[in-house]
Amino acid sequence: MSAVKAKNVQDTEALLHSGINKVELDWEIDSDDFFHLASHWCARGAKITRSRQHFVLSVKGFAIPPND
């Protein structure tokens, strides 16, 4: 599965919360935003890797709660 591109932190958060499990950070991310995403999502089992140009945030085993 290819990564979905996000244009800012809010877009990244929305995509990850919606169940997308691989998001490419397609902007010049600053250190504050990077460490915010890393601390929040890596604590939940995410992994951050570097592609050719951008970082990719991948979440494995992210369970989507049922609509009760």
Side-chain angles (χ1 to χ4, degrees):
M1 174 185 227
S2 64
V4 177
K5 292 185 178 189
K7 298 294 181 185
N8 55 40
V9 173
Q10 295 81 11
D11 195 19
T12 303
E13 294 276 349
L15 288 168
L16 292 169
H17 282 294
S18 73
I20 303 294
N21 62 354
K22 196 170 192 181
V23 178
E24 182 176 344
L25 309 179
D26 190 20
W27 79 94
E28 293 297 321
I29 189 167
D30 63 16
S31 60
D32 289 340
D33 289 338
F34 180 84
F35 287 112
H36 166 75
L37 287 172
S39 67
H40 181 79
W41 287 100
C42 291
R44 290 160 178 77
K47 185 182 280 189
I48 299 175
T49 57
R50 176 85 174 163
S51 68
R52 291 183 184 173
Q53 297 177 341
H54 302 107
F55 291 101
V56 176
L57 202 148
S58 303
V59 180
K60 293 190 179 189
F62 186 69
I64 299 174
N67 289 332
D68 290 341

